[in-house]
Amino acid sequence: MANSGPFDIVVLGGGSGGYACALRAVELGKSVALVERDRLGGTCLNRGCIPTKALLHAAEVADQTREAARFGVKAAFEGIDVAGVNAYKDKVVSTTVKGLAGLIKSKGIEVVEGTGRLVGPTTVVVTAADGAERTLEGGHIVLATGSAPRSLPGLEIDGERIISSDHALELDHVPGSVIVLGGGVIGVEFASVWRSFGAEVTIVEALPHLLPLEEESSSKRLERAFRKRGIAFRLGTRFQGAKTTPGGVAVTLEDGATIDAELLLVAVGRGPVSDGLGLADAGVETERGFVKVDELCRTGVPTISAVGDLIPTPQLAHVGFAEGILVAERLGGLNPPPIDYDGVPRITYSDPEVASVGITTETARERGHELKEVTYDLAGNPKSKILGTQGEVKVIAAVDGPVLGIHMVGARVGELIAEGQLIYNWEALPGEVAQLIHPHPTQSEAVGEAHLALAGKPLHVHG
Ligand SMILES: Cc1cc2nc3c(=O)[nH]c(=O)nc-3n(C[C@H](O)[C@H](O)[C@H](O)COP(=O)(O)OP(=O)(O)OC[C@H]3O[C@@H](n4cnc5c(N)ncnc54)[C@H](O)[C@@H]3O)c2cc1C
């Protein structure tokens, strides 16, 4: 068995959290080994953020082609060439992964291919595909092995009729009909894509609304838009069972209803990849498989940290980046502050998009805030009218205090939430934002208008 190191840091997992940590650590003068058993970039680049957003963009092009006459443009929608869509998606993914691999190499990070496991508080053994083992010593180990799709008890994902998001990204045809189990971000995004591609889609969600973690008014707006698009959903009812049929799959719900479709996408969440990592032997504590950490991503073992989907923080690539950077800076002797997870922007890239930052009205009330709020309808925003999108920007603020939450629905609002994040994280007062001039005509004016109204000086507001 070959030995390497000691490295200052050994990072286990080359996804968003792991590679961000590695890049920041070498910037701070550390020597780093990055262990990856699959492709650099992890879930986000290979099976998550990037391929799904490519599909969503193809879906948008399909819808725009169908609706071209509305804008006076002659175009005929002839259908979806799935091979063409997949070639486009795969090219976006492969060029992005290649770019990342080049960046990592150019920074002098040693990429070690294989499956790693802890064999002590500063030691990782990596088993390559050919069975060869290599031992890596690190002054510090960063666990960043991410997450994988999970299912419900008794519901087996067979990859044929009952699929996960991994399989959904590899489909070679547009299904005639799909049941999406789970109305969270992943389920809603796939429902949006498949509907644009022409499938009949039904979402089943046990909680009372789609995107149950979002502001209720945003969920309701999305539901209205989905209803208009012909996406069906069954809310507040639990999945009871699924069985494959000659034509596909039959799903029964606790209310006795049965739904038939060609495919069932299981999108009920993702679980941590922590089995077989040697955590217990190394003394790393877990809860439901997630590695337990403090607010600086430290495990109970002084030489081991953990970041990304492996720890119970929001499962987002940019959270992984931030946690990876935080750990690198802590190990680099800087003094990074803990992450304020409320201040992390969240986007669902469906049509329409749903975006938010800060807290919901419900959470603000639970925390004892007295609130004022304004909902600015995109009907009053000329750029949204030009795009033909409907939606809203809702801002909640503490009475005589800062903005606490910004919640948006509409085409392209994901791009607007970056401003929302500055407003929330700099604890801006509505009156301060109202002083800022937004360019006309843009959708960003809706953010400005909402704050003008909240500051008591509404401009383009009826009634
Ligand atoms: C369909 C889908 C869409 C998504 N869309 C978005 C989005 O739009 N925006 C967003 O912010 N987030 C999105 N996410 C979530 C995002 O992908 C994750 O939050 C992010 O990838 C987590 O990063 P990570 O580094 O923790 O884990 P991962 O990206 O999962 O990386 C972990 C890496 O560790 C490797 N690994 C695991 N075990 C070992 C081992 N023992 N040895 C060596 N290597 C190992 C894996 O191969 C993997 O490459 C999406 C996820 C999915 C599934």
Side-chain angles (χ1 to χ4, degrees):
M1 191 192 296
N3 281 332
S4 307
F7 294 91
D8 291 327
I9 303 174
V10 174
V11 182
L12 199 46
S16 312
Y19 83 70
C21 181
L23 285 171
R24 185 68 183 119
V26 290
E27 268 172 23
L28 294 169
K30 301 285 180 190
S31 61
V32 179
L34 180 61
V35 184
E36 174 55 57
R37 67 179 175 194
D38 192 356
R39 297 219 296 172
L40 286 172
T43 303
C44 178
L45 258 55
N46 296 290
R47 294 176 298 280
C49 328
I50 302 303
T52 51
K53 269 76 250 179
L55 289 186
L56 281 153
H57 183 63
E60 185 182 341
V61 173
D63 287 334
Q64 297 218 323
T65 310
R66 276 194 199 94
E67 293 161 16
R70 197 169 130 204
F71 304 100
V73 176
K74 291 186 182 175
F77 177 76
E78 291 177 10
I80 302 294
D81 165 16
V82 177
V85 171
N86 283 339
Y88 149 69
K89 162 181 71 74
D90 294 344
K91 187 157 184 211
V92 173
V93 169
S94 62
T95 51
T96 312
V97 171
K98 205 170 153 201
L100 175 69
L103 178 70
I104 285 172
K105 193 171 169 208
S106 74
K107 300 285 180 177
I109 294 165
E110 179 157 348
V111 176
V112 181
E113 289 178 14
T115 300
R117 67 177 198 284
L118 284 170
V119 295
T122 56
T123 313
V124 168
V125 168
V126 182
T127 309
D130 63 3
E133 288 197 339
R134 182 171 162 188
T135 302
L136 302 175
E137 286 294 336
H140 202 89
I141 311 287
V142 179
L143 305 171
T145 50
S147 65
R150 67 168 179 229
S151 189
L152 297 175
L155 178 60
E156 195 195 328
I157 295 177
D158 63 15
E160 298 284 331
R161 297 295 190 188
I162 303 176
I163 63 174
S164 71
S165 62
D166 291 354
H167 305 112
L169 284 166
E170 300 304 325
L171 284 186
D172 59 3
H173 66 288
V174 176
S177 55
V178 194
I179 300 164
V180 175
L181 186 57
V185 183
I186 293 176
V188 160
E189 289 188 355
F190 274 104
S192 189
V193 168
W194 278 324
R195 186 63 190 143
S196 299
F197 284 0
E200 295 297 326
V201 181
T202 306
I203 307 173
V204 175
E205 168 56 53
L207 291 169
H209 288 292
L210 296 178
L211 302 182
L213 299 180
E214 291 291 349
E215 181 76 4
E216 193 178 18
S217 55
S218 294
S219 297
K220 285 182 173 167
R221 274 271 186 182
L222 176 73
E223 287 160 15
R224 210 180 311 158
F226 267 19
R227 217 173 277 126
K228 249 172 115 176
R229 292 186 57 200
I231 297 174
F233 38 87
R234 302 291 312 271
L235 304 175
T237 182
R238 281 183 183 280
F239 164 89
Q240 206 162 48
K243 61 172 196 278
T244 51
T245 61
V249 59
V251 167
T252 45
L253 305 179
E254 68 173 356
D255 61 11
T258 302
I259 316 172
D260 293 294
E262 188 184 320
L263 286 180
L264 169 63
L265 170 69
V266 182
V268 294
R270 294 174 61 83
V273 175
S274 53
D275 282 352
L277 281 185
L279 297 177
D281 289 347
V284 176
E285 272 187 77
T286 57
E287 193 171 332
R288 292 176 301 118
F290 289 99
V291 170
K292 282 168 81 172
V293 290
D294 67 7
E295 75 286 358
L296 293 176
C297 299
R298 292 179 289 217
T299 71
V301 181
T303 52
I304 302 178
S305 300
V307 300
D309 284 8
L310 182 63
I311 64 174
T313 52
Q315 292 181 329
L316 291 167
H318 42 290
V319 167
F321 294 150
E323 290 169 345
I325 291 168
L326 180 152
V327 168
E329 294 192 343
R330 176 165 54 70
L331 299 176
L334 305 179
N335 193 17
I339 294 166
D340 170 9
Y341 290 99
D342 290 339
V344 175
R346 308 160 292 259
I347 306 172
T348 303
Y349 299 81
S350 47
D351 174 22
E353 292 185 347
V354 178
S356 63
V357 68
I359 55 178
T360 61
T361 314
E362 196 186 339
T363 305
R365 293 215 173 96
E366 278 166 14
R367 292 186 192 172
H369 290 289
E370 256 192 87
L371 296 181
K372 55 181 183 177
E373 61 182 55
V374 157
T375 299
Y376 186 80
D377 198 307
L378 293 186
N381 174 258
K383 185 62 193 271
S384 297
K385 215 169 270 178
I386 291 166
L387 295 174
T389 189
Q390 294 172 345
E392 66 186 35
V393 173
K394 178 174 181 177
V395 181
I396 64 170
V399 172
D400 299 324
V403 172
L404 297 173
I406 303 184
H407 306 273
M408 307 176 178
V409 183
R412 304 185 185 181
V413 297
E415 300 293 338
L416 299 185
I417 205 65
E419 181 182 3
Q421 107 155 291
L422 297 181
I423 294 169
Y424 174 82
N425 286 298
W426 274 335
E427 300 176 8
L429 302 172
E432 291 171 329
V433 183
Q435 284 303 108
L436 304 174
I437 300 167
H438 289 78
H440 178 75
T442 61
Q443 285 183 294
S444 75
E445 285 176 288
V447 178
E449 293 269 2
H451 287 85
L452 281 166
L454 209 51
K457 43 182 185 177
L459 187 58
H460 298 95
V461 177
H462 292 275

